[in-house]
Amino acid sequence: MCLQTLYSRHKLNTRGKLQLLTNYVYKLRPNQTQTSKMSAWVDLLRSQYNWCLNDRIVQYNQQFIQGDYCDIKARGEASPLTCFVSKSGATGNPWKDSKSDKEGNTKNPRRSATDIQITALPELKAARPWFAGIDSTVLQQNIKRLDTAYKNFFDGRGFPKFKNRSNFTSFTFAMGVKIQGSRIYLPKLGWMRFHNSRPIPNGFTIKACAVRKRQNGWYVSVRIEDKSVPDYLTKSLKDVVKVIGCDLGITKLVHLSDGTQIENPKFSTSKKAKRTLKIRQRRVSRKAKGSKNRRKAAKKLGLFHQKIGDKRQAYQWKVANKIVARNIDAIALEDLNISGMMRRCRVKVDEKTGRFLKNGQSRKKGLNRSISDAGWGELILKIEYLAAKQGKVVIKVNPKYSSQKCRNCGHIDQSNRDGEKFICVECGYHEHADIGAAKTIRDRALEIVRGDSAKLGACHLNAQKISPRSKSKRGEFGNLGNKDIKAEMS
């Protein structure tokens, strides 16, 4: 969760409608005691997270049948009555004795790994008294955080990893949070001042809050809910008439099917930013490890990274607002596999000598940095949120061959595209490559809406045609409809 920007989320209630969940982010002003206590909490919670993850991994290895054995330490043979293979287990009593059926007999439903580890928290506090100083809901939410990581893994994402100081900097309160003016009460931390930059409206109740440490201090993200706010009603596909297509890129951040092009500021890959990052990173590497000077240099480097991230977040919100605010019913986006696009090239080995051959990874490194700097995934999330808030539909389509397929004759060829130019080698159809791809994405979304093949003849009125063999400068064209949203914002 990003704590620097405002995120609003929608959650289904029991009736299937949408409830408004909004996160307000504030910068905390803790005293020295509270700062040291929160830093200690983060270290303890990180050790608890890693221990729980290791516990689940060990239990899985012991429960998984390896040959004739089901217990690695005891070397006990596998029995179908006592041995099983579970997705995630934990040390403790796996059965719950608190429930009973209608006849009064005790039920023994099997607990999940999360329930087992949460139930063992009192034992943890008794054995390790320093954990008793942490709020109980914070410890429980820390285990649920691990459970969410496992759920993502079973859904096809990466396996949960052990945390270090750089990627574990936050904790969450589930209850007990109060706000009075410019003061906030956090359980077992006491009243704390904060910059009340955005007052909470009347009618909202506090559901939870997350505290996170950043380079320039501590931030709190307060989640509030108002059930009296009217639910957002999203249009059905049958009511969709106007659709705009979006093609994400690097030279330009977004190309729209109406000819608009959105600039890509390149916050971390510009010449000035790369030079600054290079200098500050070099200053860190030249300092002695563990020294105060190294920590000071690392803090300056972190502050610059934070500045880049904040700029990117603010710009993406402006771009998403400009796209969603148009007079349209649906937004067509590419269904991109961004992690697959940034994956390393396969290793090439010479069969005779066994030496590694060039595989193009050194050239692809720059492309991966540009994709990461563009932040396509975060931009898509912002567009989806704003579209849901305004009752508009987001349609994700397959972007395959969207910039190589001719919109006039349907011919697909990689040589059709030359940079930002598109010239069909079959029929001579001529237009801007990325804007044509945005139009193709829009038409594919219309096919999904209408359920049949969309007729594309009316979409080629403004396109130019030249002979495929013509190389005269008159046939060259610039960026069609070069409308810059950056100029519109000013």
Side-chain angles (χ1 to χ4, degrees):
M1 180 186 301
C2 179
L3 299 180
Q4 183 66 14
T5 58
L6 169 65
Y7 267 102
S8 298
R9 298 184 178 180
H10 302 84
K11 183 180 180 181
L12 287 172
N13 58 15
T14 55
R15 298 177 295 172
K17 295 185 179 181
L18 290 170
Q19 293 180 354
L20 181 63
L21 283 175
T22 306
N23 284 6
Y24 278 15
V25 182
Y26 305 98
K27 186 175 182 180
L28 293 173
R29 301 170 57 192
N31 55 35
Q32 190 63 33
T33 304
Q34 292 169 337
T35 301
S36 59
K37 186 179 263 190
M38 288 190 294
S39 300
W41 279 23
V42 171
D43 293 337
L44 291 175
L45 291 171
R46 184 178 68 251
S47 64
Q48 183 207 14
Y49 182 95
N50 291 335
W51 189 92
C52 291
L53 176 58
N54 181 70
D55 181 44
R56 296 193 187 191
I57 294 174
V58 170
Q59 288 299 312
Y60 179 80
N61 291 334
Q62 289 189 352
Q63 293 168 359
F64 191 84
I65 302 175
Q66 298 180 355
D68 296 332
Y69 304 101
C70 64
D71 193 318
I72 299 176
K73 295 182 179 179
R75 291 288 181 177
E77 294 186 1
S79 171
L81 299 177
T82 60
C83 186
F84 65 95
V85 178
S86 63
K87 290 185 176 180
S88 61
T91 303
N93 184 14
W95 309 105
K96 185 183 295 185
D97 299 330
S98 59
K99 293 186 177 181
S100 59
D101 55 14
K102 296 180 180 179
E103 299 178 356
N105 299 325
T106 303
K107 285 185 177 181
N108 288 325
R110 182 165 185 83
R111 300 174 190 240
S112 63
T114 307
D115 294 337
I116 295 175
Q117 291 180 339
I118 289 179
T119 308
L121 286 178
E123 300 177 4
L124 172 66
K125 293 179 181 180
R128 306 287 187 269
W130 45 87
F131 279 96
I134 304 177
D135 185 64
S136 59
T137 61
V138 174
L139 294 171
Q140 295 171 9
Q141 293 298 319
N142 197 36
I143 297 176
K144 291 181 180 180
R145 177 178 179 177
L146 175 60
D147 191 58
T148 302
Y150 262 94
K151 183 180 178 181
N152 294 335
F153 166 67
F154 295 131
D155 290 340
R157 302 173 190 171
F159 188 78
K161 298 180 180 179
F162 292 97
K163 300 294 184 179
N164 54 34
R165 291 186 179 182
S166 62
N167 56 21
F168 192 97
T169 58
S170 63
F171 52 90
T172 305
F173 291 92
M175 59 179 65
V177 180
K178 305 174 187 177
I179 292 181
Q180 292 181 0
S182 296
R183 296 194 310 158
I184 183 172
Y185 176 79
L186 301 176
K188 293 201 174 182
L189 290 176
W191 288 98
M192 192 182 305
R193 294 180 298 170
F194 70 97
H195 295 279
N196 193 2
S197 56
R198 186 166 188 170
I200 296 177
N202 296 329
F204 281 86
T205 57
I206 299 176
K207 302 295 293 183
C209 83
V211 180
R212 182 184 179 187
K213 184 180 181 181
R214 303 194 72 189
Q215 291 294 333
N216 62 343
W218 291 86
Y219 287 81
V220 60
S221 176
V222 183
R223 179 174 297 180
I224 56 179
E225 180 183 15
D226 189 359
K227 297 182 180 180
S228 63
V229 174
D231 299 329
Y232 297 130
L233 300 178
T234 305
K235 291 183 179 180
S236 62
L237 291 179
K238 298 180 181 179
D239 301 330
V240 173
V241 178
K242 297 181 181 179
V243 181
I244 189 170
C246 301
D247 178 74
L248 302 177
I250 295 175
T251 305
K252 303 287 184 180
L253 183 60
V254 184
H255 297 81
L256 302 180
S257 57
D258 62 357
T260 303
Q261 296 179 329
I262 304 175
E263 288 290 341
N264 183 13
K266 298 182 180 180
F267 294 105
S268 64
T269 56
S270 63
K271 186 176 181 180
K272 183 177 180 180
K274 288 195 294 185
R275 183 175 182 275
T276 304
L277 286 172
K278 181 180 179 181
I279 292 174
R280 296 197 180 186
Q281 183 62 55
R282 184 171 58 201
R283 289 174 179 173
V284 174
S285 60
R286 286 180 175 179
K287 301 294 187 299
K289 291 185 178 180
S291 64
K292 290 184 178 180
N293 287 334
R294 187 183 180 93
R295 285 196 294 269
K296 291 178 183 178
K299 185 176 181 179
K300 288 184 179 180
L301 177 64
L303 287 173
F304 188 71
H305 278 293
Q306 180 181 344
K307 183 179 180 181
I308 290 174
D310 294 345
K311 284 184 177 181
R312 185 185 295 114
Q313 290 281 349
Y315 185 75
Q316 286 181 348
W317 277 116
K318 292 180 181 179
V319 171
N321 272 294
K322 278 291 182 181
I323 295 174
V324 179
R326 295 171 179 265
N327 186 18
I328 53 176
D329 301 323
I331 302 169
L333 299 174
E334 299 174 278
D335 190 9
L336 298 174
N337 180 15
I338 300 175
S339 60
M341 296 171 65
M342 298 177 62
R343 193 171 294 133
R344 292 182 61 87
C345 300
R346 293 183 179 179
V347 178
K348 293 183 180 181
V349 182
D350 191 351
E351 296 180 356
K352 296 182 180 180
T353 62
R355 293 178 176 272
F356 291 105
L357 302 176
K358 292 184 177 180
N359 60 350
Q361 179 57 36
S362 59
R363 290 180 296 172
K364 190 175 182 295
K365 180 174 64 175
L367 176 62
N368 292 347
R369 288 178 178 175
S370 299
I371 294 175
S372 178
D373 183 30
W376 293 339
E378 289 292 328
L379 178 60
I380 290 174
L381 289 177
K382 292 175 177 61
I383 293 174
E384 289 177 345
Y385 155 65
L386 292 175
K389 188 175 181 180
Q390 298 185 21
K392 298 179 181 179
V393 184
V394 174
I395 304 174
K396 289 190 176 181
V397 300
N398 185 6
K400 193 174 183 180
Y401 304 124
S402 59
S403 62
Q404 300 177 7
K405 182 178 180 180
C406 178
R407 292 173 46 77
N408 186 45
C409 64
H411 178 67
I412 299 175
D413 194 342
Q414 187 176 0
S415 60
N416 287 345
R417 178 167 183 171
D418 181 15
E420 293 184 350
K421 305 172 187 177
F422 182 91
I423 305 174
C424 181
V425 298
E426 190 73 18
C427 67
Y429 178 72
H430 187 255
E431 68 174 342
H432 191 281
D434 294 316
I435 294 178
K439 294 178 181 179
T440 302
I441 292 169
R442 176 200 61 191
D443 296 335
R444 290 179 182 178
L446 286 172
E447 291 179 8
I448 297 175
V449 172
R450 298 171 183 173
D452 56 357
S453 298
K455 297 181 179 180
L456 308 180
C459 300
H460 308 316
L461 298 178
N462 298 326
Q464 303 178 23
K465 283 191 177 182
I466 63 173
S467 171
R469 296 183 180 181
S470 175
K471 296 183 180 180
S472 63
K473 293 184 178 180
R474 183 169 296 181
E476 299 287 340
F477 63 97
N479 295 334
L480 299 178
N482 190 9
K483 303 173 186 176
D484 193 357
I485 282 189
K486 186 176 180 181
E488 295 180 12
M489 293 176 186
S490 60

